[in-house]
Amino acid sequence: MDKNIKSYEEISEILKAIAHPVRLCIVAGLLDKGKCNVNYMKDCLDLPQSTVSQHLQKLKSAGIISGERKGLEIYYSVKDESVKKIIEVLF
């Protein structure tokens, strides 16, 4: 079992990152829509842009999402395939 501990740690970090209701909602929404910018998300979530941006940063730091700049906006999408599978199981 010790030889797989690194893989358990990686999965644990992913689960911690998506465990917050807002982050879970963001990830599920991104999977449903494909790509979104922070303005669209703040309107859907009815939260201030700063709050949404903080959650996006945590997801990005965990390697779950990535951002693509288009002009002044950044469009986010889910890049981690294992997260897609987790969300499918949950919903």
Side-chain angles (χ1 to χ4, degrees), residues 32-47:
D32 185 51
K33 189 152 173 65
K35 291 184 177 184
C36 290
N37 64 24
V38 71
N39 286 323
Y40 180 85
M41 287 184 234
K42 78 175 183 68
D43 291 342
C44 286
L45 296 166
D46 196 26
L47 292 170

Side-chain angles (χ1 to χ4, degrees), residues 2 13 17 26 37 45 48-49 51 59 74-75 78 84:
D2 288 331
E13 290 304 313
I26 288 171
N37 64 24
L45 296 166
Q49 181 175 337
T51 302
L59 291 169
I74 298 174
Y75 286 82
V78 177
K84 292 178 183 180

Side-chain angles (χ1 to χ4, degrees), residues 72-90:
L72 298 174
E73 306 250 344
I74 298 174
Y75 286 82
Y76 295 93
S77 60
V78 177
K79 72 175 192 176
D80 188 321
E81 289 298 318
S82 63
V83 171
K84 292 178 183 180
K85 291 176 187 172
I86 292 167
I87 297 299
E88 285 174 7
V89 168
L90 292 174

Side-chain angles (χ1 to χ4, degrees), residues 8-53:
Y8 288 117
E9 288 171 354
E10 290 170 2
I11 293 168
S12 175
E13 290 304 313
I14 289 170
L15 293 173
K16 284 183 209 175
I18 64 172
H20 191 282
V22 171
R23 291 193 291 274
L24 186 59
C25 184
I26 288 171
V27 172
L30 286 174
L31 287 172
D32 185 51
K33 189 152 173 65
K35 291 184 177 184
C36 290
N37 64 24
V38 71
N39 286 323
Y40 180 85
M41 287 184 234
K42 78 175 183 68
D43 291 342
C44 286
L45 296 166
D46 196 26
L47 292 170
Q49 181 175 337
S50 59
T51 302
V52 175
S53 292

Side-chain angles (χ1 to χ4, degrees), residues 54-79:
Q54 287 174 355
H55 287 294
L56 288 170
Q57 186 55 46
K58 287 189 181 197
L59 291 169
K60 197 171 177 184
S61 294
I64 294 170
I65 64 169
S66 61
E68 179 185 335
R69 183 171 290 281
K70 290 187 181 179
L72 298 174
E73 306 250 344
I74 298 174
Y75 286 82
Y76 295 93
S77 60
V78 177
K79 72 175 192 176

